[in-house]
Amino acid sequence: MENIFKVTYIKHSGFLVELSDRYLLFDYWEGELPVLDYKKKLYVFSSHNHRDHYTKSIFKFETLCEEVKYILSFDIKKGSSFWKVAEHVTFLDAGITASVDDMEIRTLTSTDEGVAFLVKTEGRTIYHAGDLHWWHWPGDPEDLNKVRGDNYKKQIAFLENEQIDCSFVVLDPRQEEAGGWGMDYFLQKVNSRYIFPMHCWEKYDLIKQYKEKNDSKYLTGRIMEIVEPGQSFELE
C-alpha cells in the first residue's frame, strides 16, 4: 500500500488529513474540500459545539464516501440534534482514551469548550487542539487569565511524552501579544514534527510573522506556513 501523509487546510481550524486508507477531517464548518477517493474511510472529528468548529453540514458526508464515521465532543450531543441523521456517531468525554475501529483516540480537556484530540492511526500520531489554548484576554481580571494559563499547561503536560507527527495548534490574533503564548508553550514542551497554526481568522500574515520569528528559536522547519484555503502539504 502506498504511504500517504497529506494535510489540506480547509478554513480557520478545519483540516483534512489523508493517510493511506482513510481521511481524518477535523473541525470542518465551511470551505471547499478537495476531491476525495470515495473508497477510503472518512472519519469526521468535531472538537466542540461552537459554530466555527461544528456545523450540521458535516452530515452531508454521509453519502460522500463508502464508510463515514463521526467522532464528536460530548457537548455536541447536548447542544445539537443534527447528529441524529448519521448512522455512525461516537461521542467522547474529555480526559479519556477510546478506540474507534483501529484508531486510538485520547481527548484532552479544552480551556474553552469540548475537547482536543490526539489520534493514533496507521503509525501516525496527530493532534488537533480544537479550542484548547492559553486564553489570555486583554482587560479580563488577571486571576482569571492566570487560571486559564495554568489549565492550559496542565493539559499540555499530557502530550510531553508523545512523539507527534502533525499538530494543529491555536494562534489567535484577537489576544494581541498574548495570542502566541499557547503556541510558544507548545513548541517548548511538545515534540511534533510538523505544526500548523490555526484559528487565525484568515490573518495569514500572522502565521508568516510568527514562523519567521520562531522557527530558528525553537526548531527550524516545524512551523508550517499557511497562505490560503485549499493549500495542501505532502508530509513525510
Side-chain angles (χ1 to χ4, degrees):
M1 182 182 294
E2 183 182 3
N3 186 20
I4 298 173
F5 188 21
K6 181 178 180 181
V7 169
T8 301
Y9 168 64
I10 309 301
K11 184 177 181 180
H12 195 52
S13 298
F15 291 86
L16 179 72
V17 179
E18 181 180 3
L19 300 173
S20 297
D21 78 343
R22 71 196 63 198
Y23 297 101
L24 312 180
L25 179 61
F26 291 95
D27 280 17
Y28 175 88
W29 66 297
E30 63 181 28
E32 185 175 348
L33 290 180
V35 176
L36 303 183
D37 178 350
Y38 299 147
K39 293 184 179 180
K40 286 190 173 185
K41 303 172 187 176
L42 173 62
Y43 295 91
V44 182
F45 294 79
S46 296
S47 65
H48 61 294
N49 199 30
H50 287 174
R51 64 172 297 274
D52 59 327
H53 293 261
Y54 166 76
T55 172
K56 67 178 181 180
S57 66
I58 62 173
F59 299 107
K60 68 185 180 184
F61 301 143
E62 279 289 277
T63 58
L64 192 61
C65 290
E66 291 183 0
E67 184 176 342
V68 181
K69 295 188 178 181
Y70 298 87
I71 298 95
L72 310 179
S73 171
F74 64 94
D75 64 312
I76 292 174
K77 185 175 185 178
K78 301 173 185 177
S80 161
S81 61
F82 303 135
W83 53 268
K84 293 182 179 179
V85 303
E87 184 175 356
H88 300 289
V89 181
T90 299
F91 292 99
L92 297 182
D93 291 328
I96 66 167
T97 299
S99 296
V100 175
D101 296 339
D102 58 352
M103 295 190 299
E104 178 184 304
I105 305 171
R106 182 172 187 174
T107 58
L108 305 184
T109 303
S110 178
T111 46
D112 190 358
E113 298 289 342
V115 304
F117 295 109
L118 183 71
V119 183
K120 297 182 179 182
T121 185
E122 288 194 38
R124 305 289 188 180
T125 300
I126 298 159
Y127 170 71
H128 191 284
D131 268 357
L132 174 56
H133 178 53
W134 187 334
W135 298 108
H136 185 105
W137 293 106
D140 276 2
E142 189 56 35
D143 57 346
L144 177 57
N145 278 328
K146 184 179 185 306
V147 168
R148 292 169 177 154
D150 290 345
N151 288 341
Y152 177 73
K153 293 175 183 178
K154 289 176 183 177
Q155 293 303 307
I156 295 303
F158 291 115
L159 302 176
E160 291 184 15
N161 292 324
E162 298 286 350
Q163 301 295 315
I164 302 176
D165 292 287
C166 176
S167 298
F168 306 104
V169 182
V170 176
L171 182 66
D172 197 306
R174 300 172 300 167
Q175 297 176 272
E176 301 174 359
E177 69 274 7
W181 291 1
M183 180 74 79
D184 292 346
Y185 192 79
F186 187 91
L187 286 164
Q188 294 169 34
K189 297 294 184 178
V190 181
N191 185 355
S192 181
R193 295 171 58 216
Y194 304 99
I195 299 173
F196 291 84
M198 67 175 189
H199 210 276
C200 303
W201 301 99
E202 286 61 67
K203 305 289 186 182
Y204 301 117
D205 285 347
L206 174 67
I207 299 175
K208 181 179 181 180
Q209 293 164 10
Y210 187 87
K211 177 179 174 64
E212 289 175 350
K213 179 181 177 182
N214 292 289
D215 247 353
S216 60
K217 180 178 178 182
Y218 293 111
L219 182 61
T220 301
R222 283 209 292 170
I223 303 167
M224 309 303 290
E225 185 175 352
I226 296 170
V227 299
E228 62 182 356
Q231 185 178 0
S232 291
F233 303 81
E234 301 279 354
L235 307 181
E236 296 180 355

